[in-house]
Amino acid sequence: MSKSIGKVLGGAFLALFSFASSGQAELIVAVIAPLKIGTPFAAVGRQMKAGAEQAIADVNAERMIHNAAAVGRKLDPLVLQLADDDCQVTLGKTIANQIANQGVPLIVGHFCSSVSVEAGQIYKANGSLQIAPFSSMPRASSSSTLFRLTGTLSSQAGLFVSFVENLVQGNPDLSASTDVAIVVDRSPYGEELGREIAQQLKDAGVDTPTLPADDPKVFTLKENTKEAALETATELVSWGPEVVFLGGYHPEMDVLTGEMKSRLPNAKLFLSDANVTSTFVNGAAGTPSNPPVMIHSANPVPDLCGGNPAPANCAVKARIATRLGAGVDVEPSALFTYAAIEVWAKAEASQPDLWSVGSTLESNDFPSVLGLVGFQNGDTNDQQFLFFTWIGNKLTSFSP
């Protein structure tokens, strides 16, 4: 039996070292997520927690087998410590300082890009290794201590811009008559994504404005509230664009999506990757006749798990589903969190120096539930984003 003195307490992370009853050290893996029930991102936190718990269990089972075989060096077990940042920058920085000061070898998180960026600076200053499953902001990368499992913000913007290019390519009349609106919230993630899309549209020569009032127009919420989202929706509807991109987080994106569906039913609606959650879909997207198009990395959750042999990841999906309980489907966030711990553990197993695992991640590819994972300057080698929609409570490939 092991004894751990790390705990979650009122959103703060108190981490010391943990030792098994045999005296063998346990390697602490800190997972920071929005965990408090009833908050806007609690469903994501629940998925991250389940994915992390299963990854720890699976890695430790493999390490027990390895150690019993007495081949190579003995591998230390992992112990999970959870912290709740509530997607708040101030709280995230407090937790980051506590974790970094304790010398935790792996931090997995944060969900919100704005928190990942600020906390990442603290981890970097202390030499702590962070793997961010979801953060897609460019300035959150290019670090020797920060690794990301999803593509960059510019890659995400590029997929949307390619759609607009293909829509109007070779048709000047259509280009002139197709208005493009980019709507973002006040988060650093949303604002930078909006700027990136607008710049790429201009660089591509698509829908280039000749007057300040021309499109592509970027609408920024006055503040991150439902009331501000409604006000922006009214302004947007009065302009009447044919293509709308929403970049930011729910619940504000919930409001905007609902308004667009009812008041601009023929507009083609796109949503940024932060909204690929069942909470968002059940709250706003539903199953409309003109479904919103979601942009996300390749979906690692297998759809059907019948047949012999079963598709890859089915066994992992089943174990995570058991942890989530009846009525809760496994979502991509669970497997991205699982993969973060999985690839780090494989790198650590091949590297006797615990504090050189980052260089091992940079110089090798590792098999995982996401496929083969490798990094360059902290960014995943797989920069591909795809179009999806949500049908039958499942993330489904979609061609807009």
Side-chain angles (χ1 to χ4, degrees), residues 164-252:
V164 178
E165 282 188 283
N166 291 333
L167 181 67
V168 302
Q169 191 172 30
N171 192 333
D173 292 336
L174 185 59
S175 177
S177 63
T178 301
D179 292 325
V180 179
I182 305 158
V183 188
V184 298
D185 63 10
R186 282 287 180 182
S187 69
Y189 161 81
E191 290 181 335
E192 193 164 346
L193 182 54
R195 289 193 296 268
E196 183 70 30
I197 291 174
Q199 187 61 53
Q200 288 193 28
L201 283 170
K202 292 175 183 178
D203 291 345
V206 177
D207 225 17
T208 305
T210 57
L211 296 172
D214 285 349
D215 62 308
K217 280 187 179 179
V218 178
F219 296 79
T220 304
L221 272 61
K222 291 182 179 178
E223 56 185 355
N224 287 345
T225 64
K226 292 183 178 180
E227 292 73 20
L230 283 170
E231 183 178 339
T232 300
T234 298
E235 183 181 0
L236 184 66
V237 169
S238 67
W239 186 46
E242 283 74 32
V243 180
V244 180
F245 182 93
L246 302 181
Y249 297 99
H250 55 80
E252 289 75 29

Side-chain angles (χ1 to χ4, degrees), residues 116-133:
S116 276
V117 171
E118 297 296 332
Q121 297 304 311
I122 296 170
Y123 301 139
K124 181 179 180 180
N126 287 272
S128 303
L129 193 148
Q130 174 193 9
I131 300 181

Side-chain angles (χ1 to χ4, degrees), residues 54-66:
Q54 193 57 56
I56 295 288
D58 289 351
V59 168
N60 284 344
E62 292 175 0
R63 291 189 169 205
M64 285 182 64
I65 295 172
H66 169 86

Side-chain angles (χ1 to χ4, degrees), residues 27-52:
L27 302 177
I28 295 176
V29 174
V31 175
I32 305 96
L35 298 168
K36 186 178 180 180
I37 296 174
T39 55
F41 307 107
V44 176
R46 182 177 183 180
Q47 294 282 334
M48 292 178 67
K49 178 176 180 288

Side-chain angles (χ1 to χ4, degrees), residues 358-371:
S359 61
T360 303
L361 286 171
E362 276 282 348
S363 56
N364 296 274
D365 295 336
F366 296 92
S368 76
V369 292
L370 303 181

